[in-house]
Amino acid sequence: MDKDLRVIISGGGTGGHIFPAISIANAIKAKHPDAKILFVGALGRMEMQRVPAAGYEIKGLPISGFDRKHLLKNIVVLFKLLRSQLMARSIIKNFKPMVAVGVGGYASGPTLNVCAGKGVPCLIQEQNSFPGVTNKLLAKKASKICVAYEGMERWFPEDKIILTGNPVRQNVLSSKKSQSEARQAFGLAPDKKTILLVGGSLGARTINESMRHHLDKVKASDVQFIWQTGKYYNEEMNKAVADFGEVPNLKVLDFISDMGTAYQAADLVISRAGASSISEFCLIGKPVVLVPSPNVAEDHQTKNAMALVNKDAAVYVKDADAPDTLLDTALKIVENDDKLASLSENIKKLGLKDSAEVIADEVVKLALNK
């Protein structure tokens, strides 16, 4: 079986799609070391770097999303879609997959469409509480649909749904440092309350502005801050701090590779409401203030956030309100030990363990049944 198992995994565009895809691939490899796994992504997107860095081969399709504001530009998009469909046919003909996995994102559409047309069983993994357009279109052709939230039968056939949760980055769960050791790893005092701010690998403008405009409050507080600005905003935010003057209780970083240690150091996290990040918070039981991005399809981050807020498992701050209220809200929560304990207890109840392994088992079952 191991030597014959051939799996295509398609999708990407953001870390929220790519991290689960790589985790699923790793879980398949752990169970079947000789399995052949090929990724199919979109040229120019993040997966074209992240997947090879994780040790997997990837083929790129020249596909992009539709431009809803400039309709004439979609003529080019349609040509790219047609070309991607033809390229997907060639990739699948040469690779001969036994099963296909779609994680959402542009490339998974043509790839899984071709696979389904050739009788290759398909599994889709939906990270969000509100599904993306690609996965909604692929649902009828999929054999199994792995989801992270309850109530997804509103969009998907109920008999295909498996509640698995989202696979997360392994280093988030494997940190062996104590909280004081983790703080010291960032050059901070081991015994002071600490807030971690993250806006994804590229950064989040609103979260960054919420810090930049209130550096006086940051400095005056008895709380420490680890601030991941994202690479795009790092130079600008570092200049703002330099112009303000020394802030000894603030650590500014463009990117944090060891998120397990960063989470361990923090009493409270401020974050966007991406599905993968939320899954990580649930598994480690980390109190969080969620600031959903308004710049995502179907406002799905707000829906992700409210799924937790409605169970008293997170605090919600609207993006438009964040520059004025976010820092005060976070400082009030981090000083309230009862609130922190309640948030931690409630969010941990929502965590689903071993998601990648469960999904990998379903992938292998589909291949065997074929």
Side-chain angles (χ1 to χ4, degrees):
M1 169 64 193
D2 288 356
K3 291 181 180 179
D4 294 330
L5 181 57
R6 305 177 71 82
V7 183
I8 269 187
I9 300 178
S10 187
T14 67
H17 293 312
I18 298 162
F19 293 137
I22 292 171
S23 294
I24 293 167
N26 290 342
I28 293 169
K29 275 287 193 181
K31 295 168 184 290
H32 301 275
D34 293 325
K36 301 293 186 293
I37 299 176
L38 176 66
F39 280 74
V40 179
L43 289 170
R45 305 289 287 187
M46 193 188 299
E47 59 266 26
M48 300 308 294
Q49 285 77 45
R50 294 288 175 87
V51 169
Y56 294 100
E57 181 185 0
I58 185 167
K59 302 283 188 183
L61 303 180
I63 192 167
S64 59
F66 282 95
D67 190 327
R68 297 179 185 181
K69 293 181 180 178
H70 309 95
L71 296 180
L72 287 176
K73 289 184 179 180
N74 290 322
I75 297 171
V76 176
V77 174
L78 288 170
F79 276 112
K80 286 182 177 181
L81 179 60
L82 178 60
R83 189 167 168 229
S84 295
Q85 197 86 2
L86 293 172
M87 287 177 68
R89 286 184 185 280
S90 176
I91 290 167
I92 289 155
K93 181 181 178 181
N94 292 328
F95 185 70
K96 298 179 175 61
M98 297 171 66
V99 60
V101 179
V103 295
Y106 302 138
S108 63
T111 305
L112 266 71
N113 268 323
V114 172
C115 283
K118 291 184 174 294
V120 177
C122 298
L123 177 148
I124 59 176
Q125 198 256 328
E126 175 54 59
Q127 299 92 26
N128 294 292
S129 61
F130 190 93
V133 173
T134 303
N135 277 350
K136 281 195 278 190
L137 292 172
L138 290 171
K140 290 180 181 178
K141 299 179 180 181
S143 301
K144 296 289 181 183
I145 303 170
C146 296
V147 301
Y149 292 89
E150 296 174 348
M152 298 301 284
E153 61 275 1
R154 285 175 289 174
W155 295 284
F156 298 138
E158 190 171 1
D159 59 331
K160 296 181 180 181
I161 293 174
I162 307 169
L163 184 62
T164 60
N166 285 323
V168 301
R169 294 171 286 185
Q170 195 54 42
N171 70 353
V172 169
L173 307 177
S174 59
S175 178
K176 298 293 192 293
K177 292 184 176 73
S178 66
Q179 189 167 62
S180 60
E181 289 171 337
R183 288 171 180 164
Q184 287 174 309
F186 286 95
L188 298 173
D191 55 350
K192 282 193 172 185
K193 289 282 183 73
T194 302
I195 295 174
L196 168 68
L197 300 99
V198 288
S201 56
L202 296 178
R205 165 64 71 182
T206 300
I207 292 175
N208 288 335
E209 292 295 335
S210 301
M211 284 290 283
R212 180 168 74 164
H213 293 309
H214 298 289
L215 289 171
D216 54 338
K217 290 184 181 180
V218 171
K219 185 173 182 177
S221 75
D222 197 36
V223 175
Q224 302 177 127
F225 294 82
I226 302 170
W227 180 13
Q228 180 188 277
T229 63
K231 293 182 180 180
Y232 184 79
Y233 299 105
N234 189 247
E235 185 178 344
E236 181 185 356
M237 296 304 147
N238 266 307
K239 184 179 185 304
V241 174
D243 290 346
F244 176 83
E246 188 178 353
V247 187
N249 57 331
L250 173 63
K251 182 76 173 179
V252 183
L253 301 159
D254 66 336
F255 181 72
I256 300 171
S257 56
D258 185 359
M259 284 306 300
T261 297
Y263 287 151
Q264 186 66 12
D267 296 281
L268 178 70
V269 179
I270 294 171
S271 173
R272 288 302 200 189
S276 291
S277 296
I278 285 178
S279 293
E280 291 173 351
F281 303 142
C282 290
L283 286 171
I284 62 177
K286 187 60 61 174
V288 61
V289 178
L290 296 171
V291 187
S293 171
N295 306 312
V296 294
E298 311 287 353
D299 196 25
H300 69 254
Q301 284 204 6
T302 297
K303 296 175 177 71
N304 290 347
M306 296 313 296
L308 273 66
V309 172
N310 291 336
K311 296 183 179 180
D312 296 321
V315 174
Y316 164 64
V317 172
K318 189 176 180 180
D319 185 85
D321 298 336
D324 294 327
T325 66
L326 178 59
L327 192 61
D328 286 338
T329 298
L331 286 169
K332 185 176 179 182
I333 294 169
V334 83
E335 296 291 5
N336 185 335
D337 289 339
D338 289 340
K339 181 66 172 178
L340 288 175
S342 172
L343 287 170
S344 179
E345 182 181 346
N346 291 339
I347 199 169
K348 204 160 191 176
K349 291 175 185 174
L350 306 178
L352 292 167
K353 295 180 179 179
D354 304 320
S355 298
E357 287 74 17
V358 174
I359 295 169
D361 285 340
E362 292 298 327
V363 172
V364 174
K365 279 184 206 171
L366 288 177
L368 282 171
N369 290 340
K370 180 177 182 296

